[in-house]
Amino acid sequence: MSGGRAEPAGRERHGLWGLWLRRSLSMRLAILLSLALVPLGVIAFEQTRRLEAELERVRDLNFHAITAEIARREAAAAEQTLGAARALAATMPTLARDTESCRKTLRSVVERSERLFSFAGFLPQAGVMRCISAGEARDLSDHAEFERALQEPRVFATSSQRGEMSKAPVISVHYPVFGDGGQMLGYVSVSITARDIELPGDVTENDIALAVVDETGRPLGAIGPIEETSALMPADFDPRDLAQRGRGAFTAEDGEGRRRDYAVEPIIDGVAYAVGTRPTPAEAASGLTLWPAAYPVLMWLASVVLIFGVIESSLIGPVRTLGSRIRHFGRTRELPRWPMPRRLPSELALVEETFADMAERLQRDEQRLIDAVHEQEVLLKEVHHRVKNNLQIISSMINLQVRAANEPETERALERINRRIASLATVHRRLYQSSSVGQVEFDSLLRDVVSTLVATAGPEGSGARSLPEIDTTLAPLRMTPDQSLPATMFVVEAVTNALKYATPDRRGRRWIRVTLEEEAGDDDGTPGRVLLRVENSAGHDAPPGAPPGVRRTTPEGLGRRLIAGFARQLGGTQASGREGDTFVAWLAFRRRPFSAADLGRDEAPKPA
């Protein structure tokens, strides 16, 4: 038996998830929609991945294109500087004769360049620069670069973090000056400031950081403060090495340890380079930016949430509320006080209206039935009350007849009949006093009947002797009136015989014991058997009035026939006989289960 019960429990335990899925309409719809969205999700994921790759390629192209554009602009400025230096070198042999005129000419060239040039000057072989666009004369005779340039005349460019005259990062173009006889006279130097760099109109500083660096990688100019740009440059950065290897793009860590992409374009080979930098995609995605491929997943989650929200508010929630109202009405037969949600769909509103109308009709019909049943109960109780009264009248008439009887045998016969009638009256009194006419508290009824029999026991029961000791052990039990009446009459006859035939036991005690119990019912709900026992002491003494030598210990005559008839009426078995010094009369029958009418409108079946 235990194994049979454990198997369904295991199936239920392992099947809770499947049961919930079968019963949850929202979850089933969400799963179906998720399956329907799988192809779209795969397509969206693949398209997003391709779009992400294409966007990254476009960003790379833009990144390199912007860097190349800045390099081109700076190279164009350098070309203009070279042109200006070439022109000044051609006229310098004449201009150098008059230092003041030379100064004015160079100052005019710088001013007319619209702030392109920051400085112009002529450095003769003597090394003292007097013809300059601004400032005081400066002795550069001991400058190592100048000495090498005098030995090997050539056009070259230099960069400086701090120009001699402008005091700012500059790129300078140096052009040799020759005299009419071809002798080397010196160099014309024209400088441009590398501080200010302008981005294209559709590019912001959030997209790219740009700088112009010298041959050692030190910034000469940048977008924003040069100090901040310096932190963005990689450590041990040698732009000349990259230019020689033809590798203008690379990824490295900046001065603060962050991974960045770099693009390098030469402005003047060996002198100045344009460097563009940006965070790597992984670094850029480390903030709040979502990975693009996550958007299909977010779309699926949003769809599921939307389904739950819409279905829950428009369908599942109202249906759940309607089901709760129906269950509440089924349990209490009262319409619940909580209202239905507003703005119901028309179909659910029709169902709710139909349920409310049906519930109202059921309440009216049930009230009419309750009133009719109550009226029948009142009438039936009135019948039992009148039967009890009539039986009491008959009992009173028999008592009058007993007093008028002249023969003892006639008197005893009338008393036996009177006890039976009094017992019937007790049963009917119990029926009309009971809260439900379909049920009888059988144990309480037996106590009343036994008490009545003992109280009315006459000379036949006791004679000159005292009444026997009465012991009642009655288990609580409810039965239908159809079974209560014959079972009660069995006890009446058995107790009457016990009062008549009880004799002292070996200890000299006369006693009567009445026992009521019910066996456990079957597993299918069938009630158990009811066991009634009436026992009395049965010594070796003869009953009162018996002839000498006669020992009557068993009931005979009408009482025995009545007991057998009551047992047949109950569909049970009965027997009687001696068990040592005890005489036992017992009856066993199966209690009839109560019907709905027996239980009444306000009662539930109670265990016996």
Side-chain angles (χ1 to χ4, degrees):
M1 295 297 291
S2 60
R5 288 192 296 269
E7 183 178 356
R11 288 199 301 266
E12 181 180 357
R13 181 171 61 255
H14 295 298
L16 286 178
W17 174 249
L19 180 62
W20 181 69
L21 285 180
R22 289 195 298 271
R23 292 186 176 180
S24 176
L25 179 59
S26 299
M27 180 55 66
R28 282 187 287 171
L29 291 177
I31 292 175
L32 291 176
L33 182 62
S34 299
L35 294 176
L37 289 176
V38 166
L40 295 178
V42 172
I43 294 173
F45 184 85
E46 181 63 21
Q47 288 182 344
T48 303
R49 188 186 65 80
R50 292 183 180 181
L51 180 60
E52 182 184 6
E54 184 65 21
L55 288 175
E56 185 61 27
R57 188 180 69 83
V58 171
R59 290 179 70 241
D60 288 340
L61 292 176
N62 289 339
F63 176 55
H64 293 91
I66 293 171
T67 305
E69 174 65 16
I70 297 300
R72 185 189 64 78
R73 292 181 185 179
E74 297 298 323
E79 288 293 333
Q80 294 181 28
T81 306
L82 179 60
R86 185 186 297 113
L88 289 174
T91 61
M92 190 54 63
T94 304
L95 290 175
R97 298 171 184 173
D98 185 354
T99 301
E100 189 61 31
S101 176
C102 181
R103 280 174 171 269
K104 290 181 180 180
T105 301
L106 294 184
R107 189 181 301 115
S108 176
V109 170
V110 172
E111 291 175 354
R112 290 180 181 180
S113 68
E114 297 181 354
R115 305 177 71 177
L116 174 63
F117 305 143
S118 62
F119 173 78
F122 172 63
L123 180 63
Q125 282 188 336
V128 180
M129 185 179 287
R130 291 185 176 90
C131 180
I132 57 178
S133 60
E136 300 294 332
R138 188 172 181 82
D139 185 3
L140 299 176
S141 57
D142 59 348
H143 199 281
E145 186 71 25
F146 174 67
E147 292 179 0
R148 287 194 300 270
L150 288 177
Q151 294 175 5
E152 298 178 5
R154 69 187 189 280
V155 179
F156 67 97
T158 61
S159 62
S160 175
Q161 291 291 315
R162 184 179 176 84
E164 295 290 343
M165 300 301 175
S166 63
K167 308 302 181 183
V170 296
I171 299 174
S172 301
V173 176
H174 308 284
Y175 204 93
V177 179
F178 296 93
D180 294 337
Q183 72 277 18
M184 177 68 177
L185 299 179
Y187 279 91
V188 171
S189 299
V190 181
S191 301
I192 58 175
T193 304
R195 179 181 295 277
D196 298 329
I197 298 177
E198 295 183 1
L199 287 172
D202 57 344
V203 180
T204 66
E205 296 180 16
N206 295 327
D207 300 323
I208 186 173
L210 284 167
V212 175
V213 300
D214 61 12
E215 70 278 8
T216 64
R218 294 179 301 173
L220 300 174
I223 301 174
I226 291 182
E227 294 78 8
E228 296 181 3
T229 306
S230 298
L232 300 179
M233 294 297 107
D236 301 328
F237 175 42
D238 188 354
R240 291 173 296 182
D241 180 63
L242 294 174
Q244 291 173 1
R245 296 183 182 182
R247 186 168 60 92
F250 65 98
T251 301
E253 292 185 357
D254 62 13
E256 297 181 356
R258 297 169 298 188
R259 298 286 294 177
R260 300 183 70 88
D261 293 331
Y262 294 93
V264 180
E265 294 290 339
I267 298 174
I268 301 175
D269 279 332
V271 177
Y273 300 85
V275 179
T277 180
R278 65 173 183 178
T280 61
E283 288 286 342
S286 62
L288 296 178
T289 304
L290 288 176
W291 181 42
Y295 286 99
V297 178
L298 293 178
M299 180 185 69
W300 172 77
L301 290 176
S303 301
V304 172
V305 172
L306 181 63
I307 290 175
F308 269 97
V310 173
I311 295 181
E312 184 69 24
S313 61
S314 300
L315 179 61
I316 303 301
V319 169
R320 185 185 300 113
T321 303
L322 180 58
S324 300
R325 290 167 63 85
I326 293 175
R327 286 193 299 272
H328 180 80
F329 178 79
R331 290 193 300 266
T332 65
R333 284 300 186 266
E334 295 179 357
L335 284 174
R337 296 181 179 180
W338 62 84
M340 289 291 292
R342 296 181 180 179
R343 298 180 181 178
L344 284 176
S346 57
E347 297 82 0
L348 292 180
L350 179 61
V351 173
E352 163 63 13
E353 182 180 353
T354 303
F355 163 68
D357 182 64
M358 178 190 67
E360 185 178 354
R361 288 201 304 266
L362 283 175
Q363 286 177 326
R364 291 198 302 267
D365 293 344
E366 286 189 353
Q367 189 59 46
R368 285 197 295 267
L369 289 175
I370 290 173
D371 293 341
V373 170
H374 179 67
E375 183 178 355
Q376 290 180 358
E377 289 181 354
V378 171
L379 293 176
L380 188 55
K381 288 183 177 181
E382 180 64 22
V383 169
H384 287 299
H385 183 62
R386 294 191 179 188
V387 169
K388 186 267 298 184
N389 291 340
N390 291 335
L391 290 174
Q392 286 182 339
I393 293 173
I394 294 174
S395 177
S396 299
M397 295 172 62
I398 292 177
N399 282 331
L400 294 175
Q401 189 65 40
V402 168
R403 295 190 186 96
N406 295 323
E407 299 292 334
E409 186 64 28
T410 302
E411 182 179 351
R412 287 193 294 269
L414 291 176
E415 286 179 348
R416 287 195 296 270
I417 293 174
N418 197 20
R419 280 195 291 271
R420 294 184 179 108
I421 292 175
S423 299
L424 288 175
T426 301
V427 173
H428 285 281
R429 177 173 59 83
R430 277 285 178 178
L431 287 175
Y432 81 75
Q433 289 179 347
S434 175
S435 59
S436 174
V437 295
Q439 301 180 66
V440 176
E441 294 181 357
F442 187 58
D443 55 313
S444 179
L445 174 61
L446 288 185
R447 286 191 182 90
D448 287 352
V449 169
V450 172
S451 299
T452 301
L453 290 175
V454 174
T456 58
E460 182 187 36
S462 60
R465 298 167 297 177
S466 62
L467 291 174
E469 299 176 7
I470 306 297
D471 178 23
T472 56
T473 305
L474 308 176
L477 180 64
R478 286 190 175 190
M479 294 199 309
T480 62
D482 291 343
Q483 288 188 307
S484 298
L485 184 58
T488 301
M489 297 310 297
F490 166 83
V491 173
V492 170
E493 295 300 325
V495 171
T496 300
N497 287 326
L499 288 170
K500 180 178 180 182
Y501 297 113
T503 57
D505 58 12
R506 294 177 180 179
R507 292 178 296 178
R509 295 174 52 247
R510 295 177 63 243
W511 51 266
I512 297 175
R513 184 183 303 117
V514 180
T515 305
L516 169 66
E517 59 184 5
E518 183 181 17
E519 296 177 345
D522 298 337
D523 293 337
D524 59 358
T526 303
R529 292 192 312 163
V530 177
L531 301 179
L532 265 175
R533 291 171 62 91
V534 178
E535 304 171 76
N536 63 270
S537 57
H540 298 284
D541 294 339
V550 177
R551 295 177 180 176
R552 297 184 59 187
T553 59
T554 59
E556 297 178 355
L558 180 60
R560 172 172 289 187
R561 290 195 299 272
L562 288 175
I563 288 175
F566 296 143
R568 286 192 301 271
Q569 188 174 351
L570 290 168
T573 57
Q574 66 86 27
S576 60
R578 291 180 61 95
E579 295 180 0
D581 289 344
T582 303
F583 183 82
V584 180
W586 59 267
L587 170 67
F589 61 95
R590 193 171 293 275
R591 181 172 60 85
R592 185 184 306 162
F594 294 108
S595 64
D598 295 333
L599 295 176
R601 62 180 183 274
D602 296 326
E603 296 186 13
K606 297 181 181 179

